């Protein structure tokens, strides 16, 4: 029987690891799947290739899949997200000049403390007619929403007190070096590369803003899922096996060497390996500091597409696009995430399968057992930095309470 073929679009980021490793290490072949990886430089191109059938699936920023299904900025195309490729793994990096102005230290700062210092700098810059400018990877990215959530939470008004522009991940360090932006919120290895080049200073990991924030996902057109359901489920099993391997002790060096290749990230192996092993070089010339769960790829059913995560992203879309909350659009947004496909693919595998499809986000301070239909599921802390929790059943109430 011939293998099922999938062309998968991706951007050169560490969290593209699972489809790359599934291909390179034979996990896909074991499931009867052949993967052809298509490297791009912008999320808009990744999306367009997927929509026009040039690829079958994509490594994608989660909010972009939701925006595409809702028809934000373009005609609506239904997408399905049956698998999460990772949680967290991004950082907020200041230029070295801004880091000095804000008085950043040698370690990762506290979000509230860093925010208070940044608020003073932002006010002074705005008064001088030179407002601070931050680069994010796409308007519909978790980077944009995490950055905005933090700024607003510390009293800095996005778009009024600071400017936010779009910069492609591979060019983020260049934008810092050129002085085009004062800070970036981007995925690895591009924060590390900015620091290693001496042009950036990491202020925060996005895991400090939302401890278990949804990040990259696997996106597939809904019609492709329906036409190739068995093949899609085989692909998910391959990705899940790659995720289990990715977090095994002793595999980081091999994974980093593969990802560093020109066909994939085309980036220094050391910077990639630091991200995989949760070690962050905060300032130029500094020693890496450990930050557990900086990237989160497998434990706690990390690959499960919780509909409540999609609902939170929709709430931020409403907040920052200035659109009215719509129960129908909220249902469409949550419905992009497809836990039913995930469960079907991994039934009988021994992988923990949550019994619920949605949960209170940000409500856990400490690890707790959760209901599962298969395996034992333990969920860790998922706090937002400001202590708020998100109830997907009351999005309107949540939005009304935000600063």
């Amino acid at each position: 029987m011939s293998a099922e073929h999938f062309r998968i679009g991706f951007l050169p980021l560490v969290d593209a690891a699972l489809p790359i490793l599934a291909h390179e290490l034979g996990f896909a072949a074991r499931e009867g799947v052949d993967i052809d990886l298509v490297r791009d430089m912008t999320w808009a191109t990744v999306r367009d290739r997927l929509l026009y059938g040039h690829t079958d699936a994509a490594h994608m920023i989660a909010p972009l899949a939701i925006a595409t299904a809702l028809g934000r900025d373009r005609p609506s195309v239904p997408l399905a997200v049956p698998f999460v490729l990772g949680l967290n793994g991004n950082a907020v990096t200041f230029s070295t000049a801004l880091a000095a102005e804000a008085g950043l230290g040698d370690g990762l700062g506290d979000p509230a403390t860093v925010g208070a210092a940044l608020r003073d700098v932002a006010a002074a810059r705005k008064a001088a007619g030179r407002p601070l400018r931050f680069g994010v990877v796409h308007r519909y990215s978790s980077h944009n929403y995490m950055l905005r959530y933090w700024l607003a939470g510390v009293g800095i008004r996005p778009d009024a007190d600071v400017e936010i522009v779009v910069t492609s991940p591979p060019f983020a360090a260049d934008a810092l070096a050129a002085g085009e932006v004062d800070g970036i919120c981007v995925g690895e290895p591009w924060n590390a590369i900015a620091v290693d080049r001496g042009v950036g200073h990491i202020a925060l990991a996005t895991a400090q803003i939302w401890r278990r924030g949804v990040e990259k996902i696997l996106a597939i057109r809904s019609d492709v899922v329906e036409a190739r359901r068995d093949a899609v489920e085989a692909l998910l099993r391959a990705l899940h096996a790659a995720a289990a391997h990715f977090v095994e002790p002793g595999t980081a060096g091999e994974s980093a060497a593969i990802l560093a290749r020109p066909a994939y990230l085309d980036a220094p192996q050391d910077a990639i390996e630091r991200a995989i092993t949760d070690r962050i070089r905060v300032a130029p010339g500094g020693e890496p500091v450990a930050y557990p769960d900086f990237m989160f790829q497998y434990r706690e059913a990390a690959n499960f597409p919780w509909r409540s995560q999609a609902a939170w992203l929709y709430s931020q879309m409403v907040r920052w696009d200035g659109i009215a909350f719509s129960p129908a659009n909220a249902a469409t947004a949550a419905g992009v995430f497809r836990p039913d496909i995930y469960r079907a693919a991994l039934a009988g595998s021994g992988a923990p399968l949550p019994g619920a499809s949605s949960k209170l986000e940000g409500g856990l301070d400490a690890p707790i057992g959760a209901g599962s239909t298969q395996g034992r599921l333990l969920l860790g802390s998922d706090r937002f930095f400001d202590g708020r929790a998100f109830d997907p059943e009351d999005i309107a109430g949540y939005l009304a309470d935000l600063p």
Side-chain angles (χ1 to χ4, degrees):
M1 191 173 71
S2 62
E4 286 283 357
H5 186 76
F6 281 91
R7 281 172 60 83
I8 301 179
F10 76 98
L11 247 58
L13 292 155
V14 177
D15 55 24
L18 303 190
I20 293 170
L21 297 179
H23 168 63
E24 289 286 347
L25 299 179
F27 298 112
R30 199 175 302 162
E31 293 290 342
V33 171
D34 174 44
I35 292 176
D36 177 20
L37 290 146
V38 181
R39 185 180 192 267
D40 272 311
M41 297 297 273
T42 71
W43 289 117
T45 311
V46 168
R47 177 198 59 195
D48 289 351
R49 281 192 200 275
L50 180 68
L51 299 189
Y52 300 129
H54 295 210
T55 54
D56 305 295
H59 158 246
M60 186 180 281
I61 37 180
L64 185 54
I66 294 166
T68 301
L70 288 174
R72 300 298 300 161
D73 291 347
R74 63 165 327 285
S76 168
V77 177
L79 294 183
V81 171
F83 195 91
V84 172
L85 295 172
L87 308 177
N88 302 136
N90 303 324
V92 179
T93 298
F94 292 177
S95 68
T96 50
L98 177 57
E101 275 190 85
L104 294 188
D106 295 332
L108 286 172
D110 168 74
T113 305
V114 174
L118 183 66
R119 188 172 63 239
D120 292 341
V121 176
R125 289 284 197 97
K126 183 182 178 184
R130 296 181 295 109
L132 291 175
R133 178 180 292 155
F134 285 88
V136 297
V137 302
H138 194 278
R139 175 183 177 184
Y140 294 119
S141 66
S142 47
H143 314 69
N144 185 33
Y145 293 156
M146 288 277 207
L147 178 67
R148 287 171 177 269
Y149 187 90
W150 170 59
L151 291 173
V154 297
I156 300 170
R157 298 170 300 164
D159 307 319
D161 299 331
V162 297
E163 297 176 357
I164 297 177
V165 299
V166 171
T167 182
S168 175
F171 303 128
D174 296 319
L176 268 184
E180 293 172 3
V181 293
D182 301 289
I184 54 175
C185 185
V186 67
E188 284 296 84
W190 305 107
N191 300 284
I193 286 172
V195 173
D196 292 348
R197 284 177 56 182
V199 299
H201 185 129
I202 294 176
L204 299 172
T206 53
Q208 295 175 273
I209 300 171
W210 182 12
R211 185 68 178 159
R212 291 284 184 268
V214 62
E215 199 15 69
K216 303 306 186 304
I217 47 83
L218 183 78
I220 308 175
R221 290 205 329 262
S222 294
D223 60 341
V224 172
V225 170
E226 298 314 312
R228 304 182 62 189
R229 180 63 181 258
D230 289 347
V232 168
E233 290 183 11
L235 174 62
L236 300 197
R237 288 191 291 273
L239 294 174
H240 193 263
H245 175 84
F246 187 62
V247 301
E248 281 179 11
T251 62
E254 177 193 37
S255 295
I258 292 170
L259 295 175
R261 294 175 188 169
Y264 299 133
L265 272 61
D266 193 19
Q269 181 177 335
D270 177 61
I272 296 168
E273 189 167 348
R274 292 201 305 268
I276 294 173
T277 54
D278 294 334
R279 293 177 302 124
I280 304 169
R281 177 171 288 137
V282 172
E287 287 299 312
V289 298
Y291 184 79
D293 300 346
F294 169 71
M295 288 189 68
F296 205 76
Q297 252 66 26
Y298 180 70
R299 287 185 295 109
E300 302 175 21
N303 308 117
F304 185 78
W306 292 98
R307 290 190 170 182
S308 46
Q309 294 174 340
W312 184 81
L313 295 173
Y314 169 71
S315 78
Q316 300 307 299
M317 193 175 296
V318 170
R319 184 184 188 187
W320 300 115
D321 274 8
I323 56 178
F325 167 72
S326 156
N329 284 346
T332 297
V336 171
F337 277 34
R338 296 290 301 274
D340 56 316
I341 303 174
Y342 182 96
R343 288 193 187 98
L346 294 172
S349 69
L353 296 179
S357 296
S358 195
K359 59 185 172 71
L360 184 73
E361 297 291 343
L364 295 180
D365 269 330
I368 190 172
S372 60
T373 59
Q374 172 181 290
R376 182 169 179 267
L377 179 61
L378 191 73
L379 297 178
S381 172
D382 67 345
R383 300 291 282 174
F384 289 91
F385 87 97
D386 57 5
R388 293 177 189 275
F390 171 75
D391 180 356
E393 299 301 317
D394 185 23
I395 299 175
Y398 173 80
L399 287 167
D401 192 46
L402 289 172

